[in-house]
Amino acid sequence: MRQLLDNCQVISCEGDGRAVALQDAAVLVNGATIEAVGRMDEMEPYRQQLEPNQIRNMGGRWLMPGLMDMHVHLSLALPGNGALMAQVENDMQLTMRAYRNALDALEAGVTFLRTVGDHRFVDLQIKQSINKGLLKGPRLFCAGHMVITTGGHGHGRGARETDGPEGFRQAVREQLRAGADLIKLAITGGIAGEHESISDSQATFAEMEAAAHAAHNAGKRITAHAGTAQAITQGIQAGLDCVEHGYFLDGWTVDLMAKHNTFLVPTLSVSRAPDYMRERGCPEWMISKALKAGEGHMKSYQLAVSAGLPIAMGTDMLPAENYDGTLAVYREMEWMVEGGMSNHNVLLSATKQAAELCSVQDKLGSVTPGKFADLIAMPGNPLENMRHLRGLDFVMKDGQVIRNFN
Ligand SMILES: [Zn+2]
């Protein structure tokens, strides 16, 4: 069925340098895809072919592609009370909780989630059920289990521990066998590990290289949780395509990333959320470790922005979780603006750039005829003020209305 989203301002996110919206516009959706986009007067011939119930007055809202969050753990349970939860839940409880988190994200306007490390392949199972049409949910792009060294970052929280190049190769192939869309390693320590520091290097060059070969041989990209410039430099030389967090980058490493076109998913929120962490039962050592990383984390992001690295938005929180008076995904995008990226580029980081990171740019990431009708809308203009995202009240995925002005 065709439907016309009439009377809206379209932020296409095509990334052609135009930071302006197409004003007084309409979008024609046919089934699951976008058929045409144009000014309201240009769309008159379509309007005449439609019944009144096929025309939706968007009330002048700002319309853009659905948000794509590049760093999500569906079964995320922060250390503190939550960590125990994921360990003691049986498979069914885990699955239902993780699915609920996916559904909440969709309703918040996040139509696509890249999952980067989960428990018991729950992300891949949920993805299958959504793709079969059994469950309503966002599109998922999944890493399965994070692959780490013995005792490495994320151990005890669903990650696959192994050592040596052979071990890494096998663990990557296990994820591919389960249907992983990408591979995620942890190559340094992180915030959420009591006996590790962000600056610890955990994986060897040979381990990273073996993992990257196995991923690339299967046509998949590989990313890593990584904190320091030194480890990231090695990782890129070993074949990493993307870096998560990048807490402590330096100019040399950023230049190397630019040369290799390495993506950065900065996840700025994780080092500036003390109340959020405290409410979830995180111990004080973890909170102070996070805050200590905060300044360097922001500076690294700023280096990456000025070097023009491809940057994709990721929360490392559940996208629809309450954080700082709003939802995590909106707040992350506000942080990205506060850090110095233009509003338009932040919108691109959550749409076009994200689609490129996942190699789905032919089908997703902009309001373009032929792409899937995954769309969101809000009364205010996010190009003017990112806080208008907080008013988001319309969500469509695959041409189906998920939220209708509520
Ligand atoms: Zn994470």
Side-chain angles (χ1 to χ4, degrees):
M1 192 190 84
R2 278 168 144 187
Q3 46 184 325
L4 190 70
L5 306 181
D6 212 2
N7 183 24
C8 52
Q9 329 299 327
V10 176
I11 305 170
S12 75
C13 293
E14 281 169 340
D16 50 5
R18 285 179 309 160
V20 289
L22 183 63
Q23 307 249 352
D24 302 318
V27 177
L28 181 70
V29 174
N30 190 345
T33 55
I34 298 164
E35 183 178 334
V37 183
R39 287 199 321 271
M40 286 172 79
D41 54 343
E42 294 167 341
M43 301 294 272
E44 188 54 32
Y46 293 114
R47 201 175 287 105
Q48 284 179 5
Q49 298 167 20
L50 301 173
E51 301 293 330
N53 67 356
Q54 293 173 277
I55 300 172
R56 189 182 302 271
N57 187 339
M58 299 296 287
R61 280 177 175 71
W62 298 79
L63 180 140
M64 60 174 281
L67 301 175
M68 302 172 75
D69 189 332
M70 296 292 102
H71 193 121
V72 177
H73 311 274
L74 284 180
S75 61
L76 180 76
L78 273 175
N81 306 332
L84 292 171
M85 188 159 68
Q87 283 163 11
V88 299
E89 281 167 331
N90 65 34
D91 290 350
M92 288 171 275
Q93 291 164 325
L94 174 77
T95 307
M96 284 187 277
R97 185 170 59 83
Y99 170 64
R100 179 57 203 242
N101 291 335
L103 184 60
D104 287 349
L106 176 64
E107 285 171 354
V110 187
T111 51
F112 186 106
L113 304 178
R114 174 175 175 262
T115 66
V116 286
D118 236 311
H119 285 258
R120 295 174 245 168
F121 295 122
V122 69
D123 53 346
L124 288 157
Q125 294 303 326
I126 292 172
K127 174 188 162 182
Q128 252 184 33
S129 299
I130 292 172
N131 288 356
K132 279 184 191 156
L134 289 172
L135 297 172
K136 179 167 83 171
R139 295 176 201 282
L140 296 183
F141 191 80
C142 307
H145 299 155
M146 179 159 71
V147 176
I148 66 170
T149 57
T150 296
H153 179 71
H155 74 272
R157 287 183 286 130
R160 168 76 162 84
E161 292 174 73
T162 187
D163 295 292
E166 284 312 316
F168 266 66
R169 198 186 329 270
Q170 184 183 342
V172 166
R173 287 176 178 160
E174 287 168 8
Q175 310 316 306
L176 297 169
R177 178 177 62 193
D181 301 299
L182 80 153
I183 296 298
K184 161 91 178 291
L185 310 179
I187 64 168
T188 71
I191 291 168
E194 191 170 5
H195 307 298
E196 65 183 27
S197 148
I198 294 175
S199 56
D200 295 350
S201 285
Q202 293 184 341
T204 65
F205 184 85
E207 287 167 338
M208 293 188 269
E209 195 179 38
H213 272 153
H216 292 159
N217 284 344
K220 309 295 182 194
R221 283 188 169 154
I222 181 165
T223 190
H225 162 105
T228 59
Q230 189 199 5
I232 291 166
T233 298
Q234 278 208 10
I236 290 163
Q237 285 161 347
L240 293 183
D241 305 298
C242 181
V243 169
E244 311 293 315
H245 318 300
Y247 296 115
F248 306 125
L249 297 172
D250 61 23
W252 198 86
T253 308
V254 165
D255 287 346
L256 186 73
M257 290 174 77
K259 212 170 91 194
H260 285 78
N261 210 29
T262 312
F263 275 81
L264 175 69
V265 180
T267 73
L268 293 173
S269 299
V270 298
S271 61
R272 36 196 38 80
D275 296 342
Y276 164 93
M277 292 175 81
R278 208 160 277 131
E279 281 160 20
R280 282 154 188 80
C282 291
E284 287 302 317
W285 64 258
M286 193 185 299
I287 297 171
S288 82
K289 202 169 164 192
L291 295 179
K292 259 189 212 145
E295 196 185 330
H297 192 186
M298 184 58 91
K299 278 190 186 147
S300 298
Y301 164 72
Q302 288 166 338
L303 270 180
V305 171
S306 13
L309 285 192
I311 294 177
M313 187 277 296
T315 50
D316 204 7
M317 292 179 178
L318 295 164
E321 232 176 343
N322 289 315
Y323 163 45
D324 237 6
T326 183
L327 305 186
V329 63
Y330 309 149
R331 189 67 186 97
E332 175 67 22
M333 293 172 73
E334 292 170 16
W335 280 124
M336 292 174 83
V337 170
E338 286 165 49
M341 195 187 258
S342 74
N343 289 34
H344 187 233
N345 282 341
V346 172
L347 296 183
L348 294 184
S349 80
T351 56
K352 178 180 187 274
Q353 294 278 30
E356 284 177 9
L357 175 55
C358 301
S359 305
V360 293
Q361 68 272 25
D362 292 347
K363 286 288 165 199
L364 295 165
S366 66
V367 186
T368 307
K371 292 197 181 180
F372 284 115
D374 289 8
L375 303 166
I376 57 174
M378 62 214 81
N381 179 5
L383 290 172
E384 202 179 274
N385 188 337
M386 202 51 78
R387 283 177 80 106
H388 285 305
L389 272 179
R390 300 182 181 204
L392 188 152
D393 62 357
F394 177 85
V395 180
M396 171 179 273
K397 185 204 158 206
D398 272 332
Q400 289 186 4
V401 176
I402 306 290
R403 256 176 91 181
N404 189 15
F405 308 150
N406 61 1

